Amino acid sequence: MERNEIQEKYKWNTADIFVDDDAWEKAFAELETQIDFSAYRNTLNSVENVLTLCIARDKVLDKMNRLYLYASMKHDEDVRVTKYAAYDSKIMALYSKLMTELAFAEPELTALPTETLISFSKDERLKDYDYMLEQLIKSKAHVLSAAEERILALSSEAVSASSKIFGMLDNADLNLAKASFNGEETQITHGMYGLVLHNGTREEREEWFKKYYEAYIKISNTLAETYSANVKKDVFFKTARNYDSCLQMALSGSDVQPEVYNNLVKTVHDALPLMHRYISLRKQVLGFEEQHMYDIYTPLVEDCDIKMSYDDAYELVVKGLAPLGEEYQELLKKAHDERWIDVYENTGKRSGAYSTGVYGTHPFVLLNYQETTNDIFTIAHEMGHSIHTYKSSAAQPFSKADYTLFVAEIASTCNEVLLLKHLYNNTTDVKLKKYLLNYYMDMIRATLFRQTQFAEFEQIVHERAEKGEPLTKELLCDIYYQLNKDYYGDGIVHDSEIAYEWSRIPHFYRSFYVYQYSTGIISAISIAKRILSMGDKAVEDYFAFLSTGGSMSPVEELKKAGVDLMTQEPFHVAMQEFEDTLNEFESLCR
């Protein structure tokens, strides 16, 4: 379907950002004349001067964000239109120029005495920038002399090449074979591999699994050296910047304490018998004498899609999120009626789904809606992001409106949990109930347990490297294979190929990142349960969290919603939820 064949009411309204392309081009031309901050250099020694710079920077960033939003959204409507690809490139080049212009600011500020920075952070005139200054003070202990910082900056590209090398190996030079699917020889790709593991026959799954990993095993020595270089880079910067560990260094950027990471790993380990029980249940329900790693994505309940039009699905989402109150529901209706959402697939449109937005505009959502259960949940998920963005922008100044990646998936996942429970409680169809429970258990398995397995692997590997131990292919495979046995238990055959799974995970090149998926779903489950059991007070607390933006540490933000990740309580709540869901599924299978 071409885009002009879709009704306007199902397309997002980009005129809410810029009326048309001419308005965009005029704003871009104006902004090009404003990227000069040379007058502020060597002046950041007073509250007045710091405030003047911050206000000027924010005005430019605000305009730039709007330009980028319009360009990227128009490009995603139809990626074949080169005009918007050019817009996108122009704004990214201008952003790079701006960052170069502003590069002086942080070194100038960190060069000031700590007492001066503390006094700045407590000055009422800089209240919109107090958290930024507090973060600067924390980082000051790890900022080196100007000469040393220059050397680190000069080395960064060279020592960070491992991620690019992995990307080329994984996307360009990986020699993937062909395998059978639906009676035809099909080229194996990353996307098709996931599709076959979910939907293929058992024979197809086994063939694709073995051939997929064979490609990685053939270059596993190179991949081991590539990943080892990435870890060594972390150890180098951790040592140079005087951090206690690579973990501490990685988490400091998002202002999260290592205790949160350690709480996650410990609590998940304590709950592994539940995971083993689920894996054994899968084997029983599927009727396999032996369950293999390529069977782990096979649905336990098939052909149970909820098929409905987009408008009906959206209405269902609004009803499902009723526990969040009338204000939340009215915002959802506003988004639907005022064209925040681009609904249907058209030729050339970007695939997938996302929520986006910048300060001063309402959020926008891209969908490619199909009449499936998964796409109904996608509506709830993306609107969770959007309402989080909306509430943060409404409550915070520009400088504090953006929330961190640490909390980015919480509102979206909370919506999914609430919708699932609404669907479950409002059906008498046993098959649908089992489908929903399976959906929930697989969400927890993939997002909580699997990502924690990844997180533990990263932690072990970095600790070994910090002790000077060589990260050989054999060591990496041994660590990963043992973790796989620990996490999945005896209800599955630990195929030898799975020892090499570490070698294909792109997120490992963004060290200590994946744990946030686990803490995100743990927080979302805790919040959803609190809302369903406490009602208005929990909703009020949750809205307070949604409104914090980036005004404080994400761990402190979550405390406003009643979730304290410095304790083990939310972790135990999530594990209890998994156990309750498992018990319910087993009772329906009897």
Side-chain angles (χ1 to χ4, degrees):
M1 182 185 295
E2 293 297 328
R3 188 164 182 83
N4 60 14
E5 298 177 73
I6 298 172
Q7 294 181 61
E8 286 298 305
K9 67 178 182 177
Y10 297 120
K11 300 176 189 176
W12 54 25
N13 185 15
T14 55
D16 288 346
I17 314 168
F18 288 102
V19 174
D20 54 26
D21 293 354
D22 288 343
W24 187 94
E25 290 176 5
K26 181 181 177 182
F28 182 85
E30 289 175 354
L31 186 60
E32 278 187 300
T33 68
Q34 299 168 5
I35 311 296
D36 181 1
F37 287 81
S38 57
Y40 298 96
R41 290 195 177 106
N42 302 313
T43 68
L44 303 183
N45 54 8
S46 70
V47 169
E48 293 81 5
N49 290 351
V50 172
L51 180 61
T52 302
L53 170 65
C54 288
I55 291 173
R57 178 202 62 188
D58 287 357
K59 284 181 179 178
V60 169
L61 278 172
D62 190 13
K63 294 175 183 178
M64 189 167 288
N65 288 347
R66 283 174 177 256
L67 287 161
Y68 172 75
L69 182 66
Y70 182 89
S72 63
M73 287 171 57
K74 296 299 287 185
H75 178 60
D76 289 348
E77 290 176 3
D78 188 343
V79 297
R80 300 170 300 174
V81 181
T82 56
K83 177 181 184 179
Y84 297 120
Y87 277 14
D88 203 54
S89 296
K90 285 171 67 176
I91 197 64
M92 291 309 295
L94 196 60
Y95 179 78
S96 178
K97 182 180 178 182
L98 174 64
M99 291 300 100
T100 301
E101 277 288 316
L102 291 169
F104 70 90
E106 187 170 331
E108 274 194 36
L109 287 169
T110 53
L112 295 172
T114 301
E115 295 76 15
T116 302
L117 288 174
I118 292 172
S119 70
F120 284 4
S121 71
K122 295 182 182 301
D123 194 295
E124 182 66 18
R125 290 168 291 177
L126 285 170
K127 65 180 186 301
D128 288 351
Y129 306 96
D130 54 2
Y131 183 57
M132 177 198 78
L133 289 164
E134 288 167 12
Q135 287 297 94
L136 208 61
I137 294 164
K138 287 181 183 179
S139 70
K140 188 172 166 62
H142 306 287
V143 176
L144 309 179
S145 70
E148 290 169 323
E149 286 291 342
R150 181 175 180 274
I151 293 171
L152 289 185
L154 288 171
S155 72
S156 61
E157 186 175 358
V159 300
S160 300
S162 51
S163 177
K164 291 183 179 179
I165 294 169
F166 172 79
M168 291 301 294
L169 287 168
D170 195 42
N171 296 307
D173 296 335
L174 191 64
N175 190 17
L176 291 165
K178 291 185 176 181
S180 300
F181 184 54
N182 288 337
E184 296 181 6
E185 282 291 294
T186 304
Q187 177 62 51
I188 298 175
T189 64
H190 296 311
M192 282 297 298
Y193 176 70
L195 178 70
V196 173
L197 285 197
H198 279 91
N199 301 306
T201 65
R202 198 163 194 221
E203 292 73 21
E204 289 169 344
R205 296 198 303 272
E206 180 179 7
E207 181 185 2
W208 281 65
F209 177 84
K210 291 183 179 299
K211 287 184 175 179
Y212 188 69
Y213 274 99
E214 182 182 6
Y216 286 96
I217 292 170
K218 283 180 178 177
I219 58 170
S220 57
N221 287 307
T222 302
L223 288 169
E225 284 300 318
T226 304
Y227 182 56
S228 174
N230 189 71
V231 176
K232 287 176 182 175
K233 174 258 297 179
D234 294 337
V235 174
F236 168 72
F237 279 106
K238 162 256 173 186
T239 304
R241 293 201 174 280
N242 301 307
Y243 283 97
D244 294 337
S245 66
C246 294
L247 176 64
Q248 182 197 25
M249 179 177 69
L251 270 57
S252 68
S254 52
D255 199 14
V256 174
Q257 300 90 330
E259 288 85 351
V260 172
Y261 203 100
N262 295 328
N263 264 347
L264 171 68
V265 172
K266 180 184 185 307
T267 313
V268 170
H269 255 276
D270 291 344
L272 285 178
L274 284 175
M275 175 68 160
H276 301 166
R277 188 174 140 203
Y278 174 55
I279 297 301
S280 296
L281 173 67
R282 289 186 57 85
K283 177 182 176 183
Q284 176 188 336
V285 172
L286 292 169
F288 293 155
E289 186 174 329
E290 281 188 345
Q291 181 175 211
H292 288 261
M293 292 306 300
Y294 48 79
D295 296 319
I296 203 66
Y297 296 100
T298 308
L300 300 183
V301 183
E302 296 182 348
D303 302 322
C304 205
D305 257 335
I306 304 171
K307 298 184 182 295
M308 58 177 64
S309 70
Y310 167 75
D311 289 311
D312 288 342
Y314 201 93
E315 186 177 340
L316 174 62
V317 169
V318 173
K319 288 179 181 176
L321 300 181
L324 293 172
E326 290 183 9
E327 179 191 345
Y328 199 96
Q329 289 182 301
E330 287 304 315
L331 280 173
L332 292 172
K333 292 172 185 175
K334 181 182 177 74
H336 178 275
D337 297 342
E338 297 184 4
R339 294 174 51 203
W340 296 10
I341 307 165
D342 206 75
V343 178
Y344 292 115
E345 185 177 18
N346 60 255
T347 306
K349 184 177 176 180
R350 172 180 163 155
S351 62
Y354 65 71
S355 171
T356 187
V358 298
Y359 197 78
T361 74
H362 60 73
F364 293 88
V365 169
L366 180 137
L367 301 174
N368 283 277
Y369 184 76
Q370 302 291 331
E371 294 186 358
T372 67
T373 308
N374 186 66
D375 278 21
I376 296 171
F377 276 97
T378 298
I379 295 171
H381 183 98
E382 299 305 337
M383 291 314 301
H385 286 304
S386 286
I387 304 301
H388 190 178
T389 300
Y390 183 91
K391 298 289 283 185
S392 289
S393 294
Q396 297 296 332
F398 177 88
S399 57
K400 294 181 177 180
D402 283 346
Y403 46 84
T404 66
L405 283 171
F406 186 86
V407 299
E409 293 298 327
I410 293 171
S412 54
T413 307
C414 182
N415 276 8
E416 286 199 66
V417 174
L418 292 172
L419 177 60
L420 186 143
K421 289 182 178 291
H422 170 80
L423 291 170
Y424 186 83
N425 292 329
N426 286 277
T427 184
T428 56
D429 184 336
V430 173
K431 186 176 182 182
L432 179 57
K433 282 181 175 286
K434 289 168 66 176
Y435 174 89
L436 292 167
L437 293 170
N438 179 209
Y439 183 97
Y440 198 18
M441 288 187 293
D442 273 347
M443 181 198 302
I444 294 172
R445 179 196 66 78
T447 311
L448 203 171
F449 285 97
R450 178 172 165 79
Q451 299 301 326
T452 304
Q453 179 186 348
F454 288 171
E456 187 172 2
F457 173 77
E458 288 189 273
Q459 188 174 23
I460 293 170
V461 168
H462 278 80
E463 286 174 352
R464 296 284 188 94
E466 287 167 5
K467 294 174 182 176
E469 193 169 340
L471 301 181
T472 63
K473 176 186 76 173
E474 290 74 19
L475 177 66
L476 294 170
C477 286
D478 286 349
I479 293 170
Y480 196 89
Y481 193 67
Q482 184 57 53
L483 282 173
N484 203 77
K485 292 172 73 174
D486 292 343
Y487 275 73
Y488 287 88
D490 297 331
I492 197 165
V493 175
H494 298 273
D495 305 277
S496 59
E497 291 88 350
I498 206 65
Y500 293 85
E501 187 170 34
W502 60 268
S503 70
R504 71 174 188 88
I505 307 300
H507 275 137
F508 284 166
Y509 291 84
R510 190 174 180 179
S511 302
F512 301 108
Y513 173 82
V514 296
Y515 86 101
Q516 296 171 112
Y517 292 114
S518 301
T519 54
I521 192 172
I522 284 167
S523 300
I525 288 171
S526 292
I527 290 168
K529 291 198 73 170
R530 198 167 180 266
I531 288 167
L532 292 172
S533 63
M534 291 177 59
D536 291 347
K537 176 62 171 70
V539 171
E540 182 182 337
D541 292 343
Y542 180 51
F543 281 10
F545 157 70
L546 294 180
S547 300
T548 54
S551 61
M552 60 186 71
S553 113
V555 173
E556 291 302 311
E557 288 178 359
L558 275 167
K559 287 179 182 178
K560 290 183 174 293
V563 178
D564 187 355
L565 292 173
M566 293 296 286
T567 71
Q568 292 195 5
E569 182 184 0
F571 301 91
H572 292 313
V573 168
M575 294 309 167
Q576 186 61 55
E577 181 82 342
F578 185 60
E579 183 174 11
D580 292 344
T581 308
L582 184 55
N583 289 340
E584 184 69 11
F585 188 91
E586 287 175 336
S587 71
L588 292 177
C589 288
R590 294 191 188 107

